[in-house]
Amino acid sequence: MELMLPTIEAFAHYIRGAITFFFVFWCFKLHVYKRRSRMMRLLYYATLYLMLSHLKDAVFLYAGWKNSYVLNDFVRTIDMVFLPLICAFFIEGTSPGRVSMRLLSGVVALQASFIVAFAIYPCVGVVMASMAFGYSLAVATIIYVLIFSSKYQMFIATNYSYRENIDVKWITVSCIVYFISLFFYSFAFDETTWLSESLYNVFSIVLWTFLFMFARRHRVVKALKPVEKSEEQRVEVVVEKETPAVRNTSCRDEIFETRLKQVVEDGKLYLNPKVSLNDVALAVGSNRTYLSDYFNNSLNTTFYDYMNTFRISKACELIHKMPQKGKLSMAVVASMSGFNSLSTFNRYFFKSMGISPKNYSLSVMENNKKNQQQGDLS
């Protein structure tokens, strides 16, 4: 076992160097993407700080400082400044526009004040206070992300007919996994070994790779402002309240539903994988506020589900026509039906039909063969 210790320590130094260059690499990659959105800008700042933080740890290569407890504590207070940055990234991802630079600057300055406090009065109490403040932010961020991610998901379902690259589940998962791993490592910091540190750094590389890849593909969707009702619509509402004859809106709802279905079908709006609630509202001669309420309250569905119902119907039609047109791949069927991706198509088809598209296609082909054989016999 003693013979393995130098090897494990060498491996730990190798992994530490690898993760340092890992963040250097992603700093250069994210520099281009930081102009895309505030979320990417915050991720860039967080990555830049992580890179500088890992470069800073090179001071421990000096033999005289390697086992200095005071230096260890001082470095820990510096590392804690990273937490407000990554918290801001997760919050911005699930609630675009929520994080203001003034608020972020204030929180970062408050977290950084513990560095000054430790430099003046170097004691464990300052370090513990710094950690308590940082981890309180982390816990609050997890709660915030869980609450607002569900609201964000509902907003997407209400206003968009696709979820690829705008879904925020990956942000929620990344937030929870990252902070749990960070809590675990921090509380075990004083008991870490070269092996445990190496394993944690390898895990960090995997987690951050996942986060970086999804962040680059993610497109931020900002909440749309509700459309003000026109003067004619306001008068119509007043008339409804005053005239008992028009209180029953079921007939009008049926007319609107027929009109909506006709516009979506005739205009083949569902074939556009990125058609939005606004697009359909304009086509049907309404506004997104009324149309959203109509989906939720009258049809008890979402815009996302409503449009995908037409797409599934189109997909089934294409699959039934396969014997005449030749066999099509499910990717082609998904694209021709208006789905944004094959994975979304497979998932929603199974949800709607209770069978996968491939098995459904095989079932249709078998039925067609049986019908053809029966026709030949007759």
Side-chain angles (χ1 to χ4, degrees):
M1 185 66 181
E2 292 182 0
L3 294 176
M4 290 187 64
L5 289 177
T7 303
I8 295 174
E9 182 178 351
F11 177 72
H13 288 304
Y14 173 80
I15 295 299
R16 182 177 289 180
I19 196 172
T20 301
F21 283 106
F22 171 81
F23 286 115
V24 170
F25 168 79
W26 277 106
C27 270
F28 282 103
K29 293 285 288 184
L30 292 174
H31 187 269
V32 177
Y33 291 92
K34 71 176 184 178
R35 299 182 183 89
R36 178 193 291 173
S37 63
R38 183 182 295 179
M39 186 192 84
M40 294 303 295
R41 193 154 57 248
L42 290 170
L43 181 61
Y44 170 73
Y45 293 149
T47 307
L48 180 63
Y49 195 90
L50 273 177
M51 180 195 73
L52 296 175
S53 180
H54 279 82
L55 290 173
K56 161 190 64 47
D57 290 343
V59 297
F60 291 106
L61 295 175
Y62 179 64
W65 294 347
K66 184 177 181 180
N67 298 314
S68 172
Y69 289 106
V70 175
L71 184 59
N72 262 315
D73 289 340
F74 184 62
V75 165
R76 193 182 299 190
T77 57
I78 295 175
D79 291 341
M80 294 302 295
V81 178
F82 164 75
L83 279 177
L85 296 174
I86 195 61
C87 287
F89 163 74
F90 287 129
I91 292 173
E92 181 67 21
T94 53
S95 185
R98 182 72 59 174
V99 179
S100 68
M101 297 309 295
R102 178 180 296 181
L103 176 62
L104 177 60
S105 300
V107 176
V108 170
L110 187 57
Q111 184 72 66
S113 66
F114 291 103
I115 300 175
V116 179
F118 187 86
I120 298 173
Y121 187 66
C123 68
V124 178
V126 175
V127 180
M128 297 303 293
S130 172
M131 293 178 63
F133 179 75
Y135 289 144
S136 296
L137 285 177
V139 171
T141 299
I142 293 175
I143 297 172
Y144 190 97
V145 166
L146 287 173
I147 294 173
F148 279 86
S149 62
S150 61
K151 293 183 177 181
Y152 192 90
Q153 293 293 98
M154 181 57 66
F155 173 79
I156 291 173
T158 303
N159 293 275
Y160 293 87
S161 66
Y162 68 102
R163 292 181 181 175
E164 296 298 319
N165 298 331
I166 61 175
D167 197 295
V168 294
K169 289 181 181 177
W170 69 272
I171 298 178
T172 306
V173 172
S174 300
C175 177
I176 295 173
V177 172
Y178 177 73
F179 284 129
I180 288 177
S181 65
L182 189 64
F183 293 153
F184 177 80
Y185 180 77
S186 297
F187 286 121
F189 182 82
D190 294 328
E191 305 297 331
T192 53
T193 63
W194 288 117
L195 181 61
S196 63
E197 181 180 329
S198 300
L199 293 175
Y200 180 80
N201 284 334
V202 170
F203 170 79
S204 296
I205 291 175
V206 173
L207 177 61
W208 279 95
T209 299
F210 169 85
L211 193 149
F212 288 139
M213 297 305 293
F214 274 83
R216 287 202 306 170
R217 295 186 303 186
H218 186 72
R219 294 295 182 270
V220 176
V221 174
K222 293 185 178 181
L224 301 172
K225 294 181 179 179
V227 179
E228 289 292 332
K229 291 185 177 181
S230 64
E231 193 64 33
E232 294 178 357
Q233 288 173 318
R234 292 195 187 98
V235 172
E236 182 183 2
V237 173
V238 174
V239 171
E240 282 186 348
K241 290 180 179 179
E242 295 178 351
T243 310
V246 295
R247 285 180 181 172
N248 187 356
T249 59
S250 59
C251 181
R252 188 178 64 179
D253 285 345
E254 290 178 4
I255 295 174
F256 185 79
E257 182 177 1
T258 303
R259 165 70 177 161
L260 175 63
K261 185 177 180 181
Q262 182 182 5
V263 168
V264 173
E265 285 185 332
D266 293 351
K268 299 189 183 301
L269 300 181
Y270 59 90
L271 293 181
N272 177 7
K274 294 188 177 181
V275 65
S276 68
L277 184 70
N278 269 352
D279 298 330
V280 177
L282 288 173
V284 81
S286 181
N287 62 69
R288 65 170 294 274
T289 304
Y290 176 78
L291 190 57
S292 177
D293 290 339
Y294 179 76
F295 281 129
N296 294 328
N297 301 322
S298 297
L299 298 183
N300 295 320
T301 187
T302 64
F303 176 66
Y304 176 81
D305 289 334
Y306 183 81
M307 298 304 293
N308 281 339
T309 300
F310 290 95
R311 290 167 179 156
I312 292 298
S313 179
K314 179 65 175 179
C316 291
E317 178 187 333
L318 291 171
I319 291 173
H320 278 278
K321 290 181 179 179
M322 275 187 185
Q324 290 79 23
K325 291 189 174 182
K327 189 174 181 180
L328 299 174
S329 69
M330 289 301 106
V332 174
V333 172
S335 178
M336 293 178 66
S337 303
F339 281 94
N340 197 47
S341 70
L342 179 59
S343 60
T344 302
F345 170 62
N346 288 331
R347 184 172 62 252
Y348 203 88
F349 194 99
F350 186 85
K351 176 184 176 182
S352 300
M353 307 296 293
I355 187 174
S356 68
K358 185 176 180 180
N359 290 336
Y360 182 82
S361 174
L362 293 174
S363 176
V364 169
M365 292 178 67
E366 289 178 2
N367 289 335
N368 288 337
K369 287 181 180 178
K370 289 180 181 178
N371 294 334
Q372 186 177 1
Q373 291 173 356
Q374 290 176 359
D376 293 340
L377 291 174
S378 61

